[in-house]
C-alpha cells in the first residue's frame, strides 16, 4: 500500500493537474480578498459591512461555495485514468483490485487538505490586508476568523474525497464533471424551493457544508424569495460529521463497485 501511495504522489506531481490545483487554490483565496475589498455593503442586495459579525461571515462563507472546485479536481484525476485507459496498467501491477483505488483516496484526500490550506492561507492574508487597507476592524476576532478558515480548509479536503469516489463510480470524465456540477449548483438549490423536501437540505452535502462553515446566506436568500422560513442548519460538528459520512460512503461504494465490474 505504501508503494502505491508513493506512486500516486509521483503521478500527481508529474502531471499538470497539481499546478492547476495550486492556481485554483490561490484564486479561490484571492476571491475572498476581492470580496473584502469590494465590501459586503456594496453587494446587490447590500449586506452588513466587514465591521459586523454577519458581514465577515458572509465574505468567508462564500469561499465555501468554491469547495466544488477540489471536488472537480478529484473527480477528474480518477475518471481521467478510465478515459485514457491507464487504469488497466495500474491494476495489473496491483496485488488486489482495491489497492490502487484506496491509494488514490489517501493521496487525493491529503492533496485536498493541502488545497484547502493554501486557499485558507491566501484568504486570511487577503482578508486582513483588505481590512487594514480600508481601515476597518473585522466583526470577528482573529482567532474566530482563522478557526472558520480552518473548517473551510477541511471542507475542501472532504470534497476532494467526494470527487474521487464519484469519479471512480461514474468513470466517464465528462459525464462525471457535468453531473457533479449540476448537483451542487442546480439540484440542491432546486430542492430548497420544494415545500416539504426543503427540510432535507440540512442533511444534504450543501447543507452540511453550510453548517460546518457557518454560511447561511444561501438558505436565507432562498427563504426570502419563497416567503418561507429558512431551514435550521445542523450544529457545526454534526454538519461536519454528515459531510464526512457522505465522503466515506462515496469512497466505500467506489471500492466495492471496483471489485465487481470490469475495468474497461
Amino acid at each position: 500500500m505504501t508503494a502505491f501511495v508513493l506512486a500516486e504522489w509521483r503521478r500527481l506531481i508529474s502531471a499538470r493537474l497539481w499546478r492547476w490545483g495550486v492556481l485554483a487554490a490561490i484564486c479561490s483565496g484571492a476571491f475572498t480578498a476581492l470580496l473584502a475589498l469590494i465590501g459586503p455593503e456594496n453587494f446587490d442586495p447590500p449586506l452588513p459591512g466587514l465591521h459586523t459579525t454577519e458581514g465577515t461571515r458572509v465574505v468567508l462563507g462564500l469561499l465555501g461555495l468554491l469547495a466544488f472546485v477540489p471536488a472537480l479536481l478529484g473527480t477528474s484525476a480518477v475518471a481521467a485514468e478510465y478515459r485514457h485507459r491507464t487504469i488497466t496498467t495500474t491494476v495489473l501491477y496491483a496485488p488486489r483490485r482495491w489497492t490502487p483505488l484506496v491509494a488514490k483516496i489517501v493521496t487525493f484526500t491529503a492533496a485536498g487538505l493541502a488545497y484547502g490550506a493554501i486557499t485558507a492561507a491566501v484568504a486570511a492574508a487577503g482578508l486582513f490586508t483588505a481590512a487594514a487597507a480600508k481601515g476597518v476592524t473585522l466583526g470577528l476576532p482573529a482567532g474566530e476568523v482563522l478557526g472558520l478558515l480552518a473548517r473551510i480548509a477541511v471542507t475542501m479536503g472532504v470534497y476532494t474525497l467526494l470527487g474521487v469516489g464519484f469519479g471512480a463510480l461514474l468513470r466517464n470524465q465528462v459525464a462525471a464533471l457535468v453531473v457533479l456540477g449540476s448537483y451542487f449548483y442546480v439540484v440542491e438549490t432546486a430542492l430548497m424551493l420544494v415545500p416539504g423536501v426543503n427540510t432535507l437540505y440540512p442533511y444534504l452535502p450543501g447543507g452540511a457544508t453550510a453548517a460546518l462553515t457557518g454560511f447561511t446566506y444561501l438558505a436565507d436568500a432562498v427563504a426570502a424569495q419563497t416567503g418561507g422560513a429558512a431551514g435550521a442548519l445542523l450544529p457545526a460538528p454534526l454538519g461536519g460529521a454528515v459531510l464526512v459520512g457522505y465522503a466515506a460512503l462515496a469512497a466505500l461504494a467506489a471500492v466495492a463497485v471496483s471489485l465487481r465490474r470490469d475495468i474497461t
Side-chain angles (χ1 to χ4, degrees), residues 77-187:
V78 177
E81 280 220 57
Y82 289 96
R83 181 182 182 184
H84 300 293
R85 305 298 176 90
T86 55
I87 189 67
T88 304
T89 305
T90 303
V91 171
L92 286 175
Y93 280 96
R96 301 174 184 85
R97 290 266 312 254
W98 56 265
T99 308
L101 189 53
V102 172
K104 290 180 185 297
I105 290 171
V106 172
T107 300
F108 282 97
T109 299
L113 291 173
Y115 178 102
I118 295 172
T119 300
V122 174
L127 179 64
F128 288 126
T129 301
K134 298 177 69 172
V136 175
T137 301
L138 294 176
L140 287 176
E144 288 190 35
V145 170
L146 295 178
L148 185 54
L149 285 171
R151 296 204 299 272
I152 292 174
V154 172
T155 301
M156 301 285 186
V158 175
Y159 266 72
T160 306
L161 177 56
L162 269 171
V164 170
F166 193 77
L169 285 171
L170 200 54
R171 293 188 174 186
N172 185 298
Q173 186 177 14
V174 176
L177 296 178
V178 170
V179 171
L180 196 65
S182 299
Y183 174 78
F184 282 115
Y185 286 121
V186 178
V187 175

Side-chain angles (χ1 to χ4, degrees), residues 1 18 23 38 50 83 138 147-148 180 194-195 209 217 220 225 227 233 248 260:
M1 178 58 69
W18 76 270
L23 179 61
I38 294 173
L50 286 175
R83 181 182 182 184
L138 294 176
L148 185 54
L180 196 65
V194 181
T209 300
Y217 176 75
D220 293 339
Q225 291 296 321
L233 296 176
R260 294 180 175 272

Side-chain angles (χ1 to χ4, degrees), residues 184-228:
F184 282 115
Y185 286 121
V186 178
V187 175
E188 279 203 356
T189 304
L191 290 176
M192 294 173 66
L193 301 173
V194 181
V197 179
N198 54 10
T199 57
L200 298 176
Y201 175 71
Y203 301 95
L204 297 177
T209 300
L212 182 59
T213 59
F215 181 65
T216 63
Y217 176 75
L218 182 59
D220 293 339
V222 171
Q225 291 296 321
T226 58

Side-chain angles (χ1 to χ4, degrees), residues 105 158 161-162 164-166 169 205 241-257:
I105 290 171
V158 175
L161 177 56
L162 269 171
V164 170
F166 193 77
L169 285 171
V242 170
L243 192 59
V244 170
Y246 275 114
L249 183 62
L252 289 173
V255 173
V257 169

